[in-house]
Amino acid sequence: MNRFVDKCCRMLDGVMALALALMVVLVFGNVVLRYAFNSGIAVSEEMSRWLFVWLTFIGAVVAMKERGHLGTDMLVSRLGATGKRACLLLSQLAMLGVTWLLLKGSYVQMMINADTVAPVTGASMAIFYASGVFFSVPVGLMLLIDLWLTATGRISEDRLVMVQESEEAGQVDALYRGREAPSDRDSTPDSLRH
């Protein structure tokens, strides 16, 4: 199962790289054409906007798999295993609820706008709103699996904190606790350490 998810995420990484490259070409090409040749690519702005929205939602799926979404664990990290598990269950239920709302709302918007066409490309506006559906389905499945593992006690203790602090917050926390942050230890030469 993990291999399949990893392959899917690698594929999504490739799709994101392709979307980003296409956005750069469209926007940069349009700027050059406007200023140098007094013309432009008509679909550039619309396509770039759609690609940006899809890129955001695809990236959020990959970040969810890698537990890369930022959050704060100031309270949760100081709790015992039972407290961490309870907080994780509550947060997973809340995230499932929000994901369900996003899925439901995106699906409704997709159906409402299925016959509406974009002004420049003429493509169905349902493609735009499908990004929310695309995000909600895999994230909902990941959350359900994690919820099951948490509820049955099969999740390891190091995975009980589901968020990732920013690098700066980790360094401040490490200094507050009187030790060096792991990133500092790796990058500081031995001769400069105290």
Side-chain angles (χ1 to χ4, degrees):
M1 179 74 168
N2 283 339
R3 266 192 207 157
F4 175 73
V5 173
D6 289 340
K7 282 183 183 179
C8 288
C9 284
R10 278 197 300 277
M11 184 187 71
L12 290 177
D13 285 338
V15 170
M16 286 190 301
L18 183 65
L20 188 58
L22 190 55
M23 283 172 55
V24 168
V25 167
L26 285 170
V27 172
F28 183 71
N30 207 26
V31 168
V32 169
L33 286 172
R34 275 191 189 150
Y35 288 104
F37 302 104
N38 202 21
S39 69
I41 306 168
V43 298
S44 175
E45 184 181 335
E46 192 171 286
M47 287 299 297
S48 297
R49 184 172 52 248
W50 285 26
L51 286 169
F52 182 71
V53 169
W54 272 91
L55 182 72
T56 302
F57 280 103
I58 292 169
V61 171
V62 174
M64 184 68 186
K65 187 261 178 202
E66 296 174 355
R67 296 178 177 257
H69 288 284
L70 291 177
T72 181
D73 65 351
M74 185 171 39
L75 170 68
V76 177
S77 64
R78 287 167 172 73
L79 297 174
T82 306
K84 286 179 184 176
R85 184 167 280 111
C87 287
L88 183 59
L89 280 169
L90 288 173
S91 67
Q92 287 168 336
L93 288 170
M95 287 187 289
L96 267 172
V98 171
T99 303
W100 168 250
L101 291 174
L102 184 63
L103 174 64
K104 186 177 169 188
S106 297
Y107 181 76
V108 168
Q109 285 299 317
M110 194 173 75
M111 291 297 105
I112 289 172
N113 290 290
D115 295 330
T116 308
V117 295
V120 179
T121 61
S124 173
M125 288 297 292
I127 298 168
F128 184 81
Y129 294 104
S131 59
V133 175
F134 175 83
F135 165 80
S136 301
V137 172
V139 167
L141 290 174
M142 283 188 263
L143 285 169
L144 283 171
I145 290 168
D146 281 349
L147 182 67
W148 171 255
L149 293 174
T150 305
T152 59
R154 296 179 185 170
I155 195 165
S156 61
E157 191 168 341
D158 61 324
R159 292 179 49 108
L160 287 177
V161 178
M162 206 170 164
V163 298
Q164 181 174 331
E165 287 278 353
S166 68
E167 239 179 77
E168 294 84 13
Q171 290 173 350
V172 168
D173 188 48
L175 288 173
Y176 176 73
R177 292 184 183 189
R179 68 184 198 294
E180 290 184 59
S183 60
D184 289 335
R185 247 183 265 130
D186 298 337
S187 62
T188 307
D190 290 333
S191 61
L192 297 177
R193 291 190 192 150
H194 300 322

